[in-house]
Amino acid sequence: MPQCIVIADEITGGSAVGALLEKNGNTVCSVINTKGLKDPCTQNSDCVIFSTNSRKLTAQQSYQIVFSSAKLLKADDVKLYAKRIDPAMRGNTCAETEALLDALGDKNRVAIVVPAFPALKRTNVGGYILVDGKPLQKSLEGLEDLQPAHSGRVADLFTEKFRYKTEAIHLKEFLHGTEHLANIFKQLAKNGTRAIVLDCTSQEEINTIADAVVMSKIKFLAVDPGPFTATLARKVMRTKKVAHEASAAKIFGIVGGVNPLISAQVEKLRLEEKVNIVTVHNLELLEDMQRRNAEINRVVDEITTKYNNFSIAFAVSDNMEINNQLTDEYQEMLLKTNRTQAEALDIIATAYGQIVSKVLEKTPDIQALYTKGAEYTLATCREVKTIGLKILGQVLPLTSYGEILDGPYEGLKCVTSASSATDTNTIIDSIQYIKRKLAI
């Protein structure tokens, strides 16, 4: 029997949510009529996407078709109900959300509205939907459901057109952590709120919202374009033991390369994830053995002493702005030590590999690694004593996912990126990919 039910107002958007759910490892069927609900394939799927084709109907017509559809789909085995909404807020968002809440029948069920799709550069800030940083009204036309809300705020839309009590939660509340957000959800639900509209600018914030919803233990309905529903599905469609293990998963990465593109990738990581980033002083690694070991141990200590405070830690180069040219200091160091650039790179990469090995030795419950650049990935493989990696998939072009083949860390998951991977989201997309894989 299905554990996840998603109602969408058109089939392409519904199927897009289905694709996100399939990435979680779920079986998914997308159907367009009640006949499809009787098919054995549908009955045996983890997730069912039901498309009502109601986007162009009146609000009253949309309400009726969603209400009757939800009544048919309601079942005791379902762990997650979701209303898929259009990223551009087209259609009868409020009427269909009301219909689904009414059909489910729980007076204390709350619609958690997260109108954001960070991967498409659609975010919600101060209640306003932004597309690539611009207000939605300036980016797209045909915003049927937002037109009555002159301010363009999603929260105002729900206040004007949603017949139940609505509250908005803005980004400042996220700064206080998951438990704080969960307590807000509980209090609002207790006070009779039926819809909570949340700001959201990143997948990490989607993760925080989802964790807070689960922690709050309120009855909820997910209302979003898809990423929030898929994130919630990973958290509720599994045992508590698996959920706890996934939420506590530790990831460690190294970035030794030095160019502006890699710098942008690291900065994205810093902005969008709660991460302990420790700077490695590369020139120290080219000094004598004593200073090299001192620098390696300093980095390892900074990572391991804060281990319990962060689920993600990275060791990164101290100079991200070098672009195919040596700095004067670096050139002087090569002359001083009588080394070629290739020899220096091998020494630095080996030191990063040793950092990985020492961190793994001190924190054996790390579940995944991230490495950037061929030299650093090779050095890591050498230092953890493996013959190579078993490739399990592609995260992005020039970025692969796999696991260590043999040695003391056999089976440890690993994402490796080429230094030439050009997407500024490479590192954060890799982290999210690892989280999804660890959650399955």
Side-chain angles (χ1 to χ4, degrees):
M1 293 293 291
Q3 297 182 55
C4 172
I5 299 294
V6 180
I7 292 183
D9 63 0
E10 51 87 28
I11 189 169
T12 56
S15 297
V17 180
L20 294 175
L21 292 166
E22 192 277 335
K23 278 188 174 181
N24 291 348
N26 302 127
T27 54
V28 185
C29 277
S30 179
V31 297
I32 59 172
N33 54 41
T34 54
K35 181 180 177 181
L37 298 178
K38 300 175 183 178
D39 189 277
C41 177
T42 304
Q43 291 296 313
N44 294 328
S45 293
D46 298 320
C47 308
V48 171
I49 317 295
F50 190 83
S51 302
T52 58
N53 195 31
S54 54
R55 178 170 295 178
K56 298 299 182 181
L57 302 180
T58 66
Q60 185 176 4
Q61 290 170 327
S62 290
Y63 178 94
Q64 290 298 331
I65 193 169
V66 170
F67 182 87
S68 59
S69 300
K71 281 288 190 182
L72 286 172
L73 292 161
K74 183 180 177 183
D76 292 338
D77 293 329
V78 176
K79 296 180 179 179
L80 172 61
Y81 291 99
K83 174 68 189 77
R84 193 270 177 182
I85 60 175
D86 181 65
M89 297 303 292
R90 295 174 295 178
N92 297 298
T93 303
C94 292
E96 295 192 359
T97 301
E98 286 175 11
L100 191 43
L101 285 173
D102 291 346
L104 295 176
D106 306 300
K107 299 299 183 184
N108 59 344
R109 188 179 293 271
V110 181
I112 306 296
V113 186
V114 186
F117 206 133
L120 298 180
K121 298 184 178 180
R122 283 168 165 80
T123 58
N124 191 45
V125 180
Y128 293 89
I129 294 182
L130 305 179
V131 180
D132 204 9
K134 298 177 181 178
L136 182 61
Q137 292 90 332
K138 293 184 179 181
S139 303
L140 297 169
E141 296 180 356
L143 313 178
E144 298 98 327
D145 216 359
L146 271 183
Q147 286 175 351
H150 298 297
S151 70
R153 296 178 70 242
V154 181
D156 291 347
L157 162 67
F158 270 78
T159 300
E160 291 181 13
K161 302 181 72 174
F162 194 68
R163 59 186 170 91
Y164 295 122
K165 183 178 179 181
T166 301
E167 296 287 349
I169 295 179
H170 300 307
L171 292 174
K172 64 178 182 179
E173 304 296 345
F174 290 62
L175 301 176
H176 301 292
T178 304
E179 187 174 353
H180 173 76
L181 205 55
N183 289 333
I184 293 177
F185 290 159
K186 285 191 286 189
Q187 190 60 47
L188 290 178
K190 183 178 179 181
N191 293 341
T193 301
R194 299 300 304 277
I196 301 174
V197 182
L198 291 110
D199 281 3
C200 181
T201 64
S202 67
Q203 179 60 44
E204 177 65 14
E205 288 168 2
I206 290 176
N207 292 342
T208 299
I209 296 167
D211 285 336
V213 168
V214 174
M215 184 182 293
S216 71
K217 297 182 180 179
I218 63 171
K219 289 186 177 180
F220 63 89
L221 164 68
V223 180
D224 79 302
F228 177 58
T229 293
T231 303
L232 267 175
R234 293 200 301 271
K235 298 177 184 297
V236 302
M237 294 173 63
R238 53 190 175 166
T239 66
K240 290 183 178 180
K241 181 175 182 292
V242 172
H244 173 73
E245 289 174 351
S247 65
K250 301 286 188 177
I251 302 169
F252 177 58
I254 55 169
V255 180
V258 284
N259 67 52
L261 176 60
I262 296 176
S263 177
Q265 294 173 359
V266 171
E267 189 58 27
K268 274 257 188 177
L269 172 69
R270 191 191 309 274
L271 291 172
E272 298 202 15
E273 296 282 353
K274 183 182 178 183
V275 56
N276 178 24
I277 295 180
V278 178
T279 300
V280 183
H281 303 306
N282 282 4
L283 288 179
E284 286 294 305
L285 302 176
L286 295 176
E287 292 284 358
D288 58 59
M289 185 68 72
Q290 184 177 355
R291 290 178 65 174
R292 183 184 311 145
N293 288 337
E295 177 63 9
I296 291 171
N297 291 333
R298 179 192 66 79
V299 173
V300 172
D301 288 344
E302 284 196 34
I303 290 165
T304 55
T305 54
K306 297 179 181 178
Y307 181 73
N308 293 327
N309 298 328
F310 296 89
S311 60
I312 305 169
F314 266 70
V316 305
S317 168
D318 60 342
N319 191 343
M320 287 286 174
E321 300 305 323
I322 300 174
N323 187 12
N324 298 325
Q325 291 186 4
L326 299 174
T327 64
D328 291 340
E329 288 183 339
Y330 191 44
Q331 183 67 56
E332 290 174 5
M333 180 61 72
L334 293 184
L335 292 173
K336 173 184 172 182
T337 57
N338 194 29
R339 295 190 182 108
T340 66
Q341 184 177 351
E343 290 171 337
L345 178 57
D346 183 65
I347 290 170
I348 292 172
T350 297
Y352 277 80
Q354 290 169 346
I355 289 171
V356 172
S357 178
K358 287 176 177 289
V359 168
L360 288 176
E361 185 179 331
K362 291 190 174 185
T363 55
D365 55 338
I366 283 178
Q367 292 180 258
L369 297 176
Y370 175 87
T371 61
K372 164 74 75 173
E375 298 85 358
Y376 299 92
T377 301
L378 176 61
T380 297
C381 288
R382 285 198 306 250
E383 295 300 324
V384 300
K385 297 178 174 56
T386 180
I387 59 172
L389 304 172
K390 179 180 181 181
I391 303 304
L392 302 174
Q394 176 179 268
V395 181
L396 297 165
L398 300 176
T399 301
S400 62
Y401 172 74
E403 63 184 25
I404 291 175
L405 274 175
D406 65 342
Y409 303 107
E410 180 179 0
L412 179 66
K413 299 299 184 285
C414 185
V415 168
T416 64
S417 292
S419 297
S420 55
T422 57
D423 193 330
T424 56
N425 292 317
T426 295
I427 297 178
I428 60 170
D429 284 352
S430 297
I431 295 299
Q432 294 304 324
Y433 187 93
I434 290 170
K435 286 182 177 180
R436 285 199 303 270
K437 289 297 184 180
L438 294 179
I440 295 172

